[in-house]
Amino acid sequence: MTREELWQAVLADLELNLSKANFTTWFKNTFISEWNEETGEVIIGVPNAFTHAWLEKKYHKAILAVLREASEDKVKKAQYKVETRRSMAGGIFGPTNVSSETTENVSMISPRVAVSLEHNGTGDNSGVINEFGLKAKYTFANFIVGEGNALAHAASMGVAKNLGTRYNPLFIYGGVGLGKTHLVQAIGNDILRQDPNKKIIYVSAEKFTNDYVQALKENKINAFKAKYRSADMLLIDDVQFLAGKEQTQEEFFHTFNDLHQRECQIVLTSDRLPQSIPTLEDRLKSRFQMGVITDIAPPKLETRIAILESKIKEYKYKLEEEVLQYLAANIQNNVRELEGALNKIAAYHDFYNTPPTMETVKNILASLTVSTPNQGSVTVRQLLEVVANFFELNRQELVMSKCRRRELALPRQIAMYLMRTELSASYPTIGHELGGRDHTTAIHAFKQIEKKIQLEGRLKHDIDLIKQRLYAG
Ligand code: ADP
Ligand code: MG
């Protein structure tokens, strides 16, 4: 096996397990520059110091594991080195020959940048967490209100003023990175500011599930119940995660009732409406709809600019007006991407100790790739994966199953509809891709969905969400 073959195998594996955006951002222009078969050491060439730091910090374990596997354990160690492949034209980051960058050089990144780097990842690793799971940095004061989130913001403020009575539960839904977690945590922080003795529990639905399973295993179910039922306010993030978890839903149902009866405030977030969460019990759906439901939509240009201005102030960072406008105009999907881009720009310029120029900023954005909707490059397979995933199905079920179960009919029609609108696929192709169905079925599906979108706001929201996932990579 040659170096190139080994690296191809590694990339193929990583690509399967990473989002498209992450994969291209971090693995573009990487290669194996040396492979010493005697010592088992591999040197991976990366295009810039930034990628160097990132791969080492975030992906080293995964890279090494895959390298080992692909080389049948011949590789023992991996290191990174900033290097340009000789055949490659100068890298997009300008000074590509930061000579023989080794691990030590990475410590040049200042602490502030290290934090931003972290932040740039899942977006959720930084900030001080208190005993209730709240991060101090999420407050109402630093939440920028705009058209898309005004109602959700108002409802959240309302909850903080009238705990447990007016809006119970409050249900906030919207796509990724639009500020749901920020808002619920702001409610919690605001209550604690008013009364530090209040017991507020913030958990993701995923953590709630894990806690529950753990309690079952350790025979500590009473302690679990006591913990969650002792809350004055329960904040449950990403409740769509409960889909399909029957046992946890059962327990959650009882926790919910107990708190609700005693007028303890409950706030829930989700990426979609309760009715659209597959395999969520009806009784929970109806509980979630007892209070107020409000959505968060992606921010408009003015709001994006205001958010950037506020973040820049927070980071004590400077950007020319022109650059700021450019960023806000080009990153439209969500606030997390906006923050991510800003962090990356700050980190880059700190690292090279140069003020940002329009040109460097453009280059950095180009390397992020996440910002530009890449309509042209979505494949049929990706589209079907995303649709199946959204409905908690696997692709086979979506495509092949001959059965006409109702819960499969809608996802399938949506898949057909999106193949038409997003990929401009022909009807015969659509029919073929979805389990060899007739082109008239595809036409029918398209018309059905087109009609339903006009009538059902919920369907439109679901489809928007699927598109967002599709293009977010
Ligand atoms: P979600 O939970 O909806 O996926 P988050 O609440 O994690 O999104 O938001 C992603 C990032 O964007 C967070 O760092 C958050 O502080 C920031 N953010 C989102 N909306 C706003 C806003 N309106 N004003 C300021 N920051 C925001
Ligand atoms: Mg969140």
Side-chain angles (χ1 to χ4, degrees):
M1 187 184 246
T2 65
R3 284 179 299 177
E4 282 79 25
E5 284 163 352
L6 176 59
W7 195 237
Q8 279 311 316
V10 169
L11 290 182
D13 193 300
L14 290 169
E15 190 172 19
L16 279 180
N17 294 302
L18 289 172
S19 74
K20 194 159 161 258
N22 268 328
F23 181 75
T24 22
T25 306
W26 303 113
F27 292 93
K28 196 163 75 182
N29 296 339
T30 58
F31 59 102
I32 293 184
S33 81
E34 277 176 62
W35 181 9
N36 185 330
E37 299 215 23
E38 263 156 46
T39 60
E41 195 172 331
V42 154
I43 308 237
I44 298 162
V46 298
N48 52 64
F50 201 70
T51 306
H52 184 307
W54 194 263
L55 290 188
E56 196 164 64
K57 196 162 163 175
K58 288 274 181 183
Y59 294 116
H60 183 67
K61 263 199 190 143
I63 293 172
L64 192 60
V66 182
L67 266 170
R68 282 208 166 121
E69 205 194 320
S71 68
E72 293 171 330
D73 263 348
K74 287 194 193 108
V75 173
K76 307 278 181 224
K77 254 173 88 182
Q79 283 200 35
Y80 308 88
K81 191 170 169 187
V82 177
E83 236 182 284
T84 337
R85 227 188 306 228
R86 257 182 284 282
S87 58
M88 227 167 73
I92 47 167
F93 281 97
T96 41
N97 286 329
V98 187
S99 61
S100 67
E101 204 93 29
T102 54
T103 331
E104 296 87 73
N105 293 29
V106 175
S107 59
M108 274 166 59
I109 296 184
S110 66
R112 178 163 83 78
V113 179
V115 171
S116 334
L117 271 171
E118 192 61 59
H119 196 70
N120 198 1
T122 59
D124 268 40
N125 292 339
S126 61
V128 185
I129 304 175
N130 77 356
E131 59 177 306
F132 307 105
L134 294 173
K135 284 181 193 160
K137 67 172 184 172
Y138 291 129
T139 63
F140 283 130
N142 61 13
F143 187 84
I144 305 295
V145 184
E147 212 176 301
N149 61 27
L151 281 177
H153 175 259
S156 301
M157 297 278 272
V159 161
K161 282 208 191 78
N162 304 282
L163 217 50
T165 47
R166 289 267 292 283
Y167 310 98
N168 203 13
L170 170 63
F171 189 100
I172 303 174
Y173 73 99
V176 289
L178 296 182
K180 300 184 298 296
T181 298
H182 189 135
L183 262 187
V184 278
Q185 295 232 356
I187 301 176
N189 281 320
D190 196 63
I191 303 286
L192 280 185
R193 194 176 46 82
Q194 296 172 37
D195 179 356
N197 293 321
K198 279 267 188 295
K199 181 161 179 201
I200 293 159
I201 298 184
Y202 165 89
V203 275
S204 62
E206 183 172 4
K207 175 146 192 319
F208 182 88
T209 306
N210 292 341
D211 264 14
Y212 178 61
V213 173
Q214 193 68 20
L216 282 177
K217 272 196 211 147
E218 293 175 0
N219 223 346
K220 287 185 178 155
I221 208 70
N222 285 336
F224 174 90
K225 284 186 203 266
K227 173 180 161 193
Y228 282 100
R229 290 171 200 201
S230 68
D232 294 306
M233 174 158 84
L234 180 60
L235 309 167
I236 300 268
D237 211 354
D238 292 317
V239 79
Q240 77 277 358
F241 183 84
L242 292 181
K245 317 269 183 319
E246 277 173 36
Q247 280 235 40
T248 311
Q249 285 186 25
E250 168 87 24
E251 179 55 36
F252 185 63
F253 179 73
H254 295 300
T255 309
F256 185 102
N257 286 345
D258 186 84
L259 292 173
H260 197 262
Q261 266 158 23
R262 291 189 286 116
E263 296 198 337
C264 298
Q265 180 70 45
I266 300 163
V267 184
L268 307 145
T269 77
S270 163
D271 66 352
R272 59 194 96 168
L273 278 165
Q275 305 92 294
S276 295
I277 304 177
T279 60
L280 182 70
E281 284 182 40
D282 285 341
R283 57 182 185 167
L284 273 178
K285 283 182 190 162
S286 76
R287 288 297 182 289
F288 293 173
Q289 296 173 62
M290 281 163 66
V292 171
I293 297 190
T294 166
D295 77 324
I296 299 193
K300 296 251 153 58
L301 181 68
E302 298 73 43
T303 316
R304 296 201 296 277
I305 292 175
I307 290 174
L308 278 177
E309 278 170 345
S310 128
K311 302 280 172 196
I312 287 169
K313 230 192 238 159
E314 211 174 284
Y315 302 166
K316 302 197 173 43
Y317 191 64
K318 270 204 157 49
L319 272 191
E320 297 287 329
E321 181 65 28
E322 180 199 30
V323 172
L324 199 135
Q325 294 275 352
Y326 181 83
L327 274 181
N330 282 282
I331 302 187
Q332 303 168 354
N333 283 344
N334 71 53
V335 184
R336 187 171 299 147
E337 278 180 16
L338 208 56
E339 265 187 16
L342 190 61
N343 281 330
K344 199 161 177 186
I345 287 165
Y348 176 86
H349 293 95
D350 264 17
F351 190 83
Y352 290 112
N353 204 9
T354 56
T357 62
M358 197 60 175
E359 204 192 332
T360 54
V361 167
K362 276 187 182 165
N363 281 341
I364 290 170
L365 274 204
S367 81
L368 283 174
T369 66
V370 285
S371 56
T372 37
N374 46 355
Q375 248 86 347
S377 62
V378 171
T379 63
V380 173
R381 198 188 162 98
Q382 282 166 338
L383 189 145
L384 295 176
E385 288 288 352
V386 170
V387 175
N389 208 298
F390 185 85
F391 291 101
E392 304 268 326
L393 301 166
N394 61 41
R395 200 166 47 89
Q396 281 310 41
E397 285 175 299
L398 179 71
V399 173
M400 294 310 262
S401 174
K402 283 288 170 211
C403 123
R404 287 172 189 268
R405 278 181 15 228
R406 252 194 70 222
E407 62 266 35
L408 288 180
L410 183 69
R412 201 172 283 144
Q413 288 192 333
I414 290 178
M416 294 190 187
Y417 172 83
L418 287 172
M419 277 183 71
R420 184 76 186 166
T421 59
E422 305 309 297
L423 306 180
S424 311
S426 71
Y427 289 120
T429 306
I430 296 173
H432 174 76
E433 291 288 347
L434 279 123
R437 288 173 168 75
D438 194 72
H439 74 279
T440 52
T441 312
I443 295 175
H444 176 72
F446 181 81
K447 290 198 172 140
Q448 280 292 96
I449 297 294
E450 201 176 36
K451 197 165 73 196
K452 278 193 192 158
I453 287 180
Q454 307 296 324
L455 304 172
E456 297 175 28
R458 179 187 136 205
L459 183 64
K460 182 171 181 325
H461 179 266
D462 287 354
I463 289 180
D464 283 347
L465 205 61
I466 295 173
K467 281 195 210 162
Q468 194 197 10
R469 287 192 183 179
L470 196 60
Y471 296 120

